[in-house]
Amino acid sequence: MATMSTSGFLGAGWAFPVSADTALARGEETVRQSIWMILSTARGERVMRPDFGCGIHDLVFGLGDAMTASLVADEVRGALLRWEPRIDVTDVQVRPDGDGSVMLISITYEVLSTNSVFNMVYPFYLESGEAAR
């Protein structure tokens, strides 16, 4: 029986953001970049797949309060559950940073094929119109 390496199961793909050197992301890095792409894409933004993405962009004009933080956490959980089947989201915490114009989304997830646990922080900008970096 042939065994598949972990990186083979997780795959390889173009690194995000796409650059001129067309580097490939491999293994668990593909998962991290996929999560970033899901959160960075507003629903309706992709013409051929209008349901892809995360609904946090509908909350961009929300207040930097506990209610908005709760809605952001729910949207993140739902989007990752739907669009990233290679992970189990174990925790999503959202807190305002600074003057309330930025919410930091802390996501703890486990890559199912390796049982490796990771944490990433995604900055979500409110009202200012700045793009996530």
Side-chain angles (χ1 to χ4, degrees):
M1 178 171 143
T3 60
M4 180 179 284
S5 72
T6 303
S7 62
F9 176 77
L10 295 176
W14 286 13
F16 180 78
V18 178
S19 62
D21 64 3
T22 62
L24 291 179
R26 299 192 182 281
E28 290 153 343
E29 177 63 13
T30 63
V31 174
R32 188 194 69 76
Q33 290 184 9
S34 174
I35 292 169
W36 195 272
M37 190 177 312
I38 291 165
L39 299 180
S40 297
T41 305
R43 275 193 232 125
E45 186 175 333
R46 293 203 174 169
V47 176
M48 298 302 285
R49 183 159 281 194
D51 53 338
F52 179 82
C54 185
I56 60 175
H57 304 280
D58 296 336
L59 304 169
V60 74
F61 294 110
L63 302 173
D65 61 1
M67 176 62 83
T68 303
S70 177
L71 292 170
V72 167
D74 287 345
E75 289 291 342
V76 167
R77 282 182 197 277
L80 294 178
L81 178 66
R82 181 170 187 189
W83 296 111
E84 187 44 80
R86 299 174 291 180
I87 65 169
D88 179 28
V89 177
T90 56
D91 192 30
V92 176
Q93 294 183 7
V94 181
R95 66 177 176 83
D97 184 45
D99 63 356
S101 65
V102 178
M103 291 211 159
L104 298 179
I105 305 169
S106 297
I107 305 160
T108 304
Y109 62 96
E110 178 181 352
V111 176
L112 297 175
S113 64
T114 63
N115 296 325
S116 299
V117 176
F118 295 92
N119 185 15
M120 72 180 290
V121 177
Y122 181 87
F124 177 59
Y125 296 89
L126 298 171
E127 299 179 84
S128 66
E130 292 184 38
R133 296 180 201 131

